[in-house]
Amino acid sequence: MTRILVIDDDDVYRRTVSSLLKQSGFDVLEATNGHSGVEIAQAQTPDLVICDVVMERFDGFAVIDRLRMDHSTSEIPFIFMSGLSDRDTVRKGMNLGADDFLVKPFSFSDLLAAVDARLTKRKEIVNDVERKLAQLRLSISLALPHELRTPLAGILGFAEILGDEANIIPPNELVRMGKMLYRSGERLGRVIENFMTYAQIEIVGTDPQKVASLRKAQLSGSKTLIGPLSRDKADHYKRSTDLVLDLHEGPVAMSGEFLSKISSELIDNAFKFTEAGSKVEVKTHMNDDGFVLTISDQGRGMSRKQIEELGAYVQFERRYYEQQGFGLGLTISKRLVEIHGGKMEFETREGVGFTIQVHLPAFPKG
């Protein structure tokens, strides 16, 4: 049975609302003040909280602030009810994370409509998360064994040879094996890092408060971040002469950590899936909407169908083209851009080249 917590220091109003909800088949908890309301919510984790705004000592704003800071109660749908209907009161409630606002006196139908809307929305979110988790489990079960075993096999194989024959292996061969061990370890480390990053992003993306917090970040030195990163990637693939940079400084509403992750993954893909001697262009500029990062290559590109099906652990045409990694880099970048209020656009001609444009706000919103 769906459990609803009603918090109001007005006995008549609290009991009336509780009675109406009980008649509609809900299990109702009652709290006579904000402090006890928080304690009940933390102890019993209701499916919905309906709370008065104006209460002595511990008002509704303090209640929602406390609940949103507690991990166990941070995602409980929250409805304010109050005789105060001015814009500042409503805005403050919404900024603190309230899902709806009922102005006293309200009708029984208004109450039920607000409750049904919040519970339905919550159910949709839960179902969507469960669906994504199911897809994630399936994708992992198909891709994980290969992507972990391949570099692990290299590490174990070379380690075994070194352990058994190190005293008879020529020095130059030892150096080669050491480099191969390092590359295998590096590949395995990147698989694990991207796996963890993707899981964290999906969790954050379902939490409006965490998304709002991320969007408050701002970076002023995009050029000084992307320039060295691009050159490092080109050096890694021994293709310094293939890199073309055209960077212009500008603010970005994103942390340096996340902009670095996006740039690193996209630039790495551009080098990984193109031939030596073909150009990889990395450009940044500002327009009326904000910051734009453009990465272009002269590789095989992607079809429109492949772009539409872009998702975690998708690797296209693996039987024709060997790919390393889960195919998570592009998906991680796309999700990070979306979470920060931006968009990613693709321009491609199959077999000719691929261009990605990342559009991000220049300044934090809200």
Side-chain angles (χ1 to χ4, degrees):
M1 184 181 293
T2 301
R3 179 176 295 174
I4 299 176
L5 170 61
V6 180
I7 308 172
D8 197 334
D9 59 359
D10 185 320
D11 291 341
V12 174
Y13 228 99
R14 185 186 68 257
R15 290 169 181 167
T16 300
V17 170
S18 297
S19 177
L20 292 173
L21 292 172
K22 288 176 182 177
Q23 291 175 27
S24 298
F26 296 107
D27 179 19
V28 181
L29 304 171
E30 295 185 37
T32 58
N33 59 70
H35 188 269
S36 65
V38 170
E39 290 182 338
I40 292 172
Q42 291 173 332
Q44 303 199 43
T45 318
D47 299 292
L48 175 69
V49 173
I50 301 176
C51 183
D52 189 27
V53 172
V54 181
M55 294 183 288
E56 293 186 4
R57 289 179 293 182
F58 206 94
D59 64 11
F61 296 139
V63 171
I64 190 171
D65 189 50
R66 185 73 60 84
L67 294 183
R68 291 298 184 244
M69 287 191 298
D70 187 331
H71 178 72
S72 65
T73 58
S74 62
E75 296 184 5
I76 297 176
F78 195 102
I79 298 176
F80 269 126
M81 55 181 179
S82 175
L84 302 174
S85 59
D86 61 281
R87 181 178 298 177
D88 290 341
T89 301
V90 175
R91 180 179 296 170
K92 182 176 180 180
M94 293 304 182
N95 287 341
L96 287 170
D99 298 283
D100 208 341
F101 204 105
L102 289 170
V103 179
K104 296 179 179 179
F106 47 81
S107 66
F108 182 37
S109 59
D110 288 338
L111 173 64
L112 286 184
V115 169
D116 287 341
R118 292 306 106 203
L119 292 176
T120 298
K121 181 65 174 178
R122 177 62 179 164
K123 185 177 180 180
E124 290 174 351
I125 291 174
V126 171
N127 289 341
D128 185 55
V129 170
E130 290 178 349
R131 179 182 59 80
K132 288 180 178 179
L133 286 174
Q135 292 176 340
L136 185 61
R137 292 188 193 101
L138 177 60
S139 297
I140 290 173
S141 67
L142 296 175
L144 187 60
H146 172 81
E147 294 304 331
L148 290 181
R149 285 174 182 166
T150 299
L152 185 59
I155 293 171
L156 294 175
F158 283 118
E160 184 178 9
I161 293 172
L162 290 172
D164 294 340
E165 305 175 15
N167 59 328
I168 60 173
I169 297 175
N172 62 328
E173 187 66 12
L174 285 174
V175 171
R176 187 186 72 84
M177 288 185 179
K179 290 181 178 179
M180 292 298 295
L181 276 168
Y182 178 80
R183 289 172 188 166
S184 294
E186 188 179 43
R187 177 178 172 181
L188 184 59
R190 187 173 181 187
V191 168
I192 294 171
E193 178 190 348
N194 274 355
F195 168 71
M196 294 176 65
T197 300
Y198 178 74
Q200 291 168 354
I201 289 172
E202 287 303 315
I203 293 171
V204 169
T206 61
D207 188 331
Q209 285 190 304
K210 290 180 180 178
V211 171
S213 177
L214 289 179
R215 293 184 180 186
K216 293 178 182 178
Q218 185 173 26
L219 174 70
S220 58
S222 59
K223 179 179 179 179
T224 55
L225 184 151
I226 294 173
L229 187 152
S230 301
R231 286 186 282 269
D232 286 345
K233 285 294 180 185
D235 289 343
H236 175 78
Y237 286 95
K238 297 180 173 57
R239 294 177 57 186
S240 299
T241 58
D242 292 341
L243 177 66
V244 178
L245 291 177
D246 182 12
L247 305 178
H248 300 269
E249 198 66 87
V252 191
M254 176 179 280
S255 70
E257 175 189 359
F258 287 138
L259 183 61
S260 177
K261 181 64 176 175
I262 292 169
S263 303
S264 176
E265 292 295 339
L266 299 183
I267 296 169
D268 187 84
N269 279 347
F271 280 109
K272 182 190 296 181
F273 300 120
T274 57
E275 298 292 334
S278 63
K279 298 299 182 183
V280 172
E281 299 183 7
V282 181
K283 302 178 180 180
T284 61
H285 71 276
M286 304 297 296
N287 62 17
D288 293 339
D289 296 323
F291 174 84
V292 182
L293 166 65
T294 304
I295 300 169
S296 303
D297 64 53
Q298 298 171 348
R300 69 178 187 261
M302 294 172 65
S303 69
R304 285 294 169 189
K305 186 173 186 293
Q306 288 172 339
I307 292 173
E308 291 170 1
E309 293 176 351
L310 179 65
Y313 309 113
V314 173
Q315 296 178 323
F316 301 109
E317 305 298 338
R318 179 149 197 166
R319 57 180 173 164
Y320 300 116
Y321 307 101
E322 174 60 24
Q323 293 174 275
Q324 293 184 8
F326 277 146
L328 266 179
L330 191 52
T331 299
I332 287 173
S333 301
K334 186 170 181 290
R335 289 293 290 129
L336 280 174
V337 169
E338 292 169 346
I339 285 172
H340 284 80
K343 63 180 180 179
M344 189 179 287
E345 295 180 338
F346 305 92
E347 181 180 339
T348 181
R349 285 186 297 162
E350 204 168 355
V352 176
F354 192 45
T355 297
I356 297 178
Q357 275 203 336
V358 175
H359 298 260
L360 290 166
F363 301 101
K365 296 181 179 179

